[in-house]
Amino acid sequence: MAIDPQNALLTVRAGLAQLSTLIVSYSFSAIGAVILLVVGYIIAGLAERSIFAGLGHIHGFDATLRHFFSKIVRYAILILVTIMVLGQFGVQTASIIAAIGAIGLAIGLALQGTLQNIAAGVMLLALRPFRIGESVEVGSIAGSIEEIGLFATKLRSADRVYILAPNSTLWNQPVRNFSRNGVRRSDIALNIGSWNDIDRAQKTLLAIAAAERRLKREPGPIAFVATWGESSVSIALCYWTSSADFFATQTDLTKHAKQEFDSEDISIPLPPPEAPQPEARRQ
């Protein structure tokens, strides 16, 4: 069958016309998409910096939370711009949003524990049950706070051991903050023989406390009989000091109390002698 040259030419011309129409149409869409991407990128950067700077004016707002919220705003704008760009090329945005939602749900289920740590980190940074440098005890975890992150918190124990605790663990348990109130109460107790003068022992402890400058005067120190037995009496000194001086004051007062008791001839009861052990039978 012979091909009509005239019909073939018309068909080619029609195809070229449609192609040129598509090129022009998609060229405008591509140009619009590029402009939208550039403008969206600029707006996302401006919004991130504005949120970060705005939250910085809030007194006590943590820097980690400032970064976190500003980054969320930035990525949210970029995702919205990407969806709008795809819509320029005729892609169904409803299906994209549904796919993003499904992907987010799957990621959330897979990273459930991690998301709990992030939520706990946000709450710890917002409510501030502890701050960097404070000494805390949370369950079996105890130490000084070095860094509070969105996923975990870094601590340093009293014996200089590095501790990395998940935020969900710290958030779900009661927190004992030894530094927050600035002062702490402490007790030292020494056993003396029951034949000693109890009033004299109490006055000796109060004199030691009066000479110690690191002790608080309000409330003042108190000396009292803590416990007593057949041959010994436990004399205790209760006092208040700053959190920073807690351990040093406790050890110094215990040492001074023993030295003063020795100088005042306040004797400490000796342990009872051990009963003689029977000789082992010879085999």
Side-chain angles (χ1 to χ4, degrees):
M1 181 179 178
I3 299 176
D4 188 358
Q6 187 175 2
N7 291 336
L9 183 60
L10 292 175
T11 303
V12 171
R13 289 179 178 177
L16 291 175
Q18 292 179 357
L19 180 60
S20 62
T21 302
L22 290 174
I23 291 175
V24 172
S25 177
Y26 279 103
S27 296
F28 283 112
S29 298
I31 294 173
V34 171
I35 295 174
L36 190 59
L37 283 173
V38 173
V39 173
Y41 184 83
I42 295 174
I43 292 176
L46 292 175
E48 179 185 8
R49 289 190 291 271
S50 299
I51 295 295
F52 185 82
L55 294 177
H57 295 299
I58 301 176
H59 178 70
F61 203 88
D62 193 85
T64 305
L65 280 180
R66 292 169 61 192
H67 285 288
F68 179 72
F69 287 122
S70 60
K71 289 294 184 183
I72 285 180
V73 172
R74 174 185 175 85
Y75 291 133
I77 294 175
L78 291 177
I79 290 173
L80 180 61
V81 170
T82 303
I83 294 174
M84 294 173 62
V85 168
L86 293 176
Q88 290 287 325
F89 294 97
V91 179
Q92 295 295 327
T93 57
S95 60
I96 296 176
I97 295 174
I100 292 176
I103 294 173
L105 179 61
I107 294 175
L109 293 175
L111 302 176
Q112 185 175 3
T114 303
L115 294 178
Q116 288 179 355
N117 288 327
I118 294 176
V122 172
M123 297 303 296
L124 291 174
L125 291 170
L127 298 181
R128 311 295 289 276
F130 46 73
R131 298 184 177 91
I132 294 176
E134 292 183 336
S135 297
V136 299
E137 179 181 341
V138 186
S140 60
I141 302 172
S144 177
I145 303 296
E146 288 191 332
E147 181 181 339
I148 306 173
L150 285 177
F151 297 94
T153 297
K154 297 179 182 178
L155 301 93
R156 185 182 67 251
S157 67
D159 51 353
R160 302 292 178 178
V161 175
Y162 172 83
I163 301 174
L164 182 66
N167 286 334
S168 58
T169 301
L170 301 179
W171 175 249
N172 292 325
Q173 298 186 72
V175 177
R176 297 184 64 194
N177 192 324
F178 301 110
S179 305
R180 179 59 55 88
N181 293 332
V183 295
R184 291 184 62 181
R185 196 198 81 174
S186 181
D187 302 331
I188 61 171
L190 286 87
N191 291 328
I192 63 174
S194 57
W195 55 86
N196 290 282
D197 188 346
I198 297 177
D199 293 333
R200 184 181 175 189
Q202 289 179 321
K203 291 179 180 178
T204 301
L205 287 179
L206 291 176
I208 296 172
E212 178 57 61
R213 297 180 179 180
R214 291 171 292 185
L215 269 59
K216 303 294 181 182
R217 303 308 169 194
E218 289 295 334
I222 303 172
F224 58 94
V225 176
T227 59
W228 61 276
E230 294 182 358
S231 60
S232 64
V233 178
S234 179
I235 305 296
L237 175 67
C238 173
Y239 61 90
W240 295 81
T241 185
S242 65
S243 301
D245 296 331
F246 177 80
F247 291 106
T249 305
Q250 189 178 59
T251 55
D252 290 345
L253 285 179
T254 303
K255 176 182 177 181
H256 293 161
K258 176 62 172 63
Q259 293 173 341
E260 289 296 323
F261 278 11
D262 291 342
S263 64
E264 295 287 338
D265 293 328
I266 301 175
S267 59
I268 296 176
L270 298 176
E274 296 183 359
Q277 300 293 331
E279 294 183 2
R281 294 182 179 180
R282 295 183 178 180
Q283 300 295 334

